PDB file of all heavy atoms in Angstrom:
ATOM      1  N   GLN F  74      10.580-145.632  81.159  1.00  0.00           N
ATOM      2  CA  GLN F  74      10.506-145.307  79.694  1.00  0.00           C
ATOM      3  C   GLN F  74       9.056-144.947  79.250  1.00  0.00           C
ATOM      4  O   GLN F  74       8.823-144.789  78.106  1.00  0.00           O
ATOM      5  CB  GLN F  74      11.179-146.455  78.856  1.00  0.00           C
ATOM      6  CG  GLN F  74      12.461-146.934  79.322  1.00  0.00           C
ATOM      7  CD  GLN F  74      13.562-145.827  79.113  1.00  0.00           C
ATOM      8  OE1 GLN F  74      13.553-145.125  78.200  1.00  0.00           O
ATOM      9  NE2 GLN F  74      14.479-145.709  80.184  1.00  0.00           N
ATOM     10  N   GLY F  75       8.121-145.103  80.156  1.00  0.00           N
ATOM     11  CA  GLY F  75       6.760-144.855  79.758  1.00  0.00           C
ATOM     12  C   GLY F  75       6.041-146.070  79.333  1.00  0.00           C
ATOM     13  O   GLY F  75       6.566-147.226  79.414  1.00  0.00           O
ATOM     14  N   LEU F  76       4.775-145.930  78.908  1.00  0.00           N
ATOM     15  CA  LEU F  76       3.948-147.087  78.575  1.00  0.00           C
ATOM     16  C   LEU F  76       3.521-146.962  77.084  1.00  0.00           C
ATOM     17  O   LEU F  76       2.397-147.397  76.750  1.00  0.00           O
ATOM     18  CB  LEU F  76       2.689-147.106  79.489  1.00  0.00           C
ATOM     19  CG  LEU F  76       2.927-147.153  80.971  1.00  0.00           C
ATOM     20  CD1 LEU F  76       1.720-147.027  81.828  1.00  0.00           C
ATOM     21  CD2 LEU F  76       3.723-148.525  81.309  1.00  0.00           C
ATOM     22  N   ALA F  77       4.423-146.450  76.294  1.00  0.00           N
ATOM     23  CA  ALA F  77       4.078-146.069  74.913  1.00  0.00           C
ATOM     24  C   ALA F  77       3.400-147.206  74.231  1.00  0.00           C
ATOM     25  O   ALA F  77       2.533-147.063  73.343  1.00  0.00           O
ATOM     26  CB  ALA F  77       5.297-145.569  74.266  1.00  0.00           C
ATOM     27  N   GLY F  78       3.915-148.469  74.331  1.00  0.00           N
ATOM     28  CA  GLY F  78       3.289-149.636  73.559  1.00  0.00           C
ATOM     29  C   GLY F  78       1.837-149.959  73.958  1.00  0.00           C
ATOM     30  O   GLY F  78       1.236-150.624  73.154  1.00  0.00           O
ATOM     31  N   PHE F  79       1.467-149.488  75.174  1.00  0.00           N
ATOM     32  CA  PHE F  79       0.085-149.915  75.592  1.00  0.00           C
ATOM     33  C   PHE F  79      -0.959-148.834  75.081  1.00  0.00           C
ATOM     34  O   PHE F  79      -0.756-147.648  75.124  1.00  0.00           O
ATOM     35  CB  PHE F  79       0.034-149.998  77.055  1.00  0.00           C
ATOM     36  CG  PHE F  79       0.960-151.118  77.613  1.00  0.00           C
ATOM     37  CD1 PHE F  79       2.148-150.750  78.149  1.00  0.00           C
ATOM     38  CD2 PHE F  79       0.550-152.384  77.455  1.00  0.00           C
ATOM     39  CE1 PHE F  79       2.965-151.804  78.577  1.00  0.00           C
ATOM     40  CE2 PHE F  79       1.395-153.389  77.933  1.00  0.00           C
ATOM     41  CZ  PHE F  79       2.605-153.122  78.542  1.00  0.00           C
ATOM     42  N   GLY F  80      -2.105-149.270  74.594  1.00  0.00           N
ATOM     43  CA  GLY F  80      -3.107-148.430  73.987  1.00  0.00           C
ATOM     44  C   GLY F  80      -3.755-147.586  75.004  1.00  0.00           C
ATOM     45  O   GLY F  80      -3.686-147.977  76.350  1.00  0.00           O
ATOM     46  N   SER F  81      -4.476-146.553  74.673  1.00  0.00           N
ATOM     47  CA  SER F  81      -5.168-145.752  75.609  1.00  0.00           C
ATOM     48  C   SER F  81      -6.441-146.427  76.082  1.00  0.00           C
ATOM     49  O   SER F  81      -7.133-147.156  75.294  1.00  0.00           O
ATOM     50  CB  SER F  81      -5.570-144.422  74.921  1.00  0.00           C
ATOM     51  OG  SER F  81      -4.373-143.674  74.687  1.00  0.00           O
ATOM     52  N   VAL F  82      -6.708-146.332  77.419  1.00  0.00           N
ATOM     53  CA  VAL F  82      -7.819-147.006  78.123  1.00  0.00           C
ATOM     54  C   VAL F  82      -7.979-148.535  77.721  1.00  0.00           C
ATOM     55  O   VAL F  82      -9.005-149.109  77.410  1.00  0.00           O
ATOM     56  CB  VAL F  82      -9.204-146.337  77.636  1.00  0.00           C
ATOM     57  CG1 VAL F  82     -10.235-146.561  78.793  1.00  0.00           C
ATOM     58  CG2 VAL F  82      -9.044-144.830  77.477  1.00  0.00           C
ATOM     59  N   ALA F  83      -6.739-149.090  77.702  1.00  0.00           N
ATOM     60  CA  ALA F  83      -6.707-150.565  77.288  1.00  0.00           C
ATOM     61  C   ALA F  83      -6.881-151.386  78.522  1.00  0.00           C
ATOM     62  O   ALA F  83      -7.191-152.684  78.274  1.00  0.00           O
ATOM     63  CB  ALA F  83      -5.299-150.834  76.725  1.00  0.00           C
ATOM     64  N   PHE F  84      -6.916-150.892  79.686  1.00  0.00           N
ATOM     65  CA  PHE F  84      -7.117-151.743  80.916  1.00  0.00           C
ATOM     66  C   PHE F  84      -8.054-151.023  81.881  1.00  0.00           C
ATOM     67  O   PHE F  84      -8.232-149.849  81.897  1.00  0.00           O
ATOM     68  CB  PHE F  84      -5.755-151.876  81.561  1.00  0.00           C
ATOM     69  CG  PHE F  84      -4.787-152.675  80.839  1.00  0.00           C
ATOM     70  CD1 PHE F  84      -3.867-152.037  80.025  1.00  0.00           C
ATOM     71  CD2 PHE F  84      -4.711-154.091  80.880  1.00  0.00           C
ATOM     72  CE1 PHE F  84      -2.895-152.766  79.248  1.00  0.00           C
ATOM     73  CE2 PHE F  84      -3.797-154.767  80.159  1.00  0.00           C
ATOM     74  CZ  PHE F  84      -2.915-154.078  79.327  1.00  0.00           C
ATOM     75  N   ASP F  85      -8.772-151.950  82.582  1.00  0.00           N
ATOM     76  CA  ASP F  85      -9.769-151.463  83.555  1.00  0.00           C
ATOM     77  C   ASP F  85      -8.964-150.814  84.677  1.00  0.00           C
ATOM     78  O   ASP F  85      -9.297-149.675  85.193  1.00  0.00           O
ATOM     79  CB  ASP F  85     -10.627-152.466  84.127  1.00  0.00           C
ATOM     80  CG  ASP F  85     -11.485-153.061  83.126  1.00  0.00           C
ATOM     81  OD1 ASP F  85     -12.094-152.269  82.266  1.00  0.00           O
ATOM     82  OD2 ASP F  85     -11.611-154.304  83.099  1.00  0.00           O
ATOM     83  N   TYR F  86      -7.878-151.390  85.067  1.00  0.00           N
ATOM     84  CA  TYR F  86      -6.982-150.882  86.181  1.00  0.00           C
ATOM     85  C   TYR F  86      -5.565-150.894  85.823  1.00  0.00           C
ATOM     86  O   TYR F  86      -5.060-151.908  85.312  1.00  0.00           O
ATOM     87  CB  TYR F  86      -7.164-151.662  87.432  1.00  0.00           C
ATOM     88  CG  TYR F  86      -8.603-151.828  87.910  1.00  0.00           C
ATOM     89  CD1 TYR F  86      -9.336-152.939  87.606  1.00  0.00           C
ATOM     90  CD2 TYR F  86      -9.210-150.866  88.751  1.00  0.00           C
ATOM     91  CE1 TYR F  86     -10.656-153.076  88.002  1.00  0.00           C
ATOM     92  CE2 TYR F  86     -10.471-150.950  89.188  1.00  0.00           C
ATOM     93  CZ  TYR F  86     -11.230-152.187  88.803  1.00  0.00           C
ATOM     94  OH  TYR F  86     -12.483-152.211  89.253  1.00  0.00           O
ATOM     95  N   VAL F  87      -4.758-149.865  86.157  1.00  0.00           N
ATOM     96  CA  VAL F  87      -3.291-149.973  86.207  1.00  0.00           C
ATOM     97  C   VAL F  87      -2.936-149.778  87.585  1.00  0.00           C
ATOM     98  O   VAL F  87      -3.307-148.877  88.323  1.00  0.00           O
ATOM     99  CB  VAL F  87      -2.796-148.794  85.261  1.00  0.00           C
ATOM    100  CG1 VAL F  87      -1.281-148.880  85.301  1.00  0.00           C
ATOM    101  CG2 VAL F  87      -3.281-148.846  83.865  1.00  0.00           C
ATOM    102  N   VAL F  88      -2.061-150.718  87.984  1.00  0.00           N
ATOM    103  CA  VAL F  88      -1.728-150.799  89.493  1.00  0.00           C
ATOM    104  C   VAL F  88      -0.178-150.495  89.606  1.00  0.00           C
ATOM    105  O   VAL F  88       0.678-150.945  88.792  1.00  0.00           O
ATOM    106  CB  VAL F  88      -1.967-152.230  89.993  1.00  0.00           C
ATOM    107  CG1 VAL F  88      -1.501-152.367  91.425  1.00  0.00           C
ATOM    108  CG2 VAL F  88      -3.476-152.535  89.876  1.00  0.00           C
TER     109      VAL F  88
END
Side-chain angles (χ1 to χ4, degrees):
Chain F
Q74 310 294 320
L76 303 173
F79 298 101
S81 297
V82 205
F84 295 91
D85 295 322
Y86 304 95
V87 180
V88 177

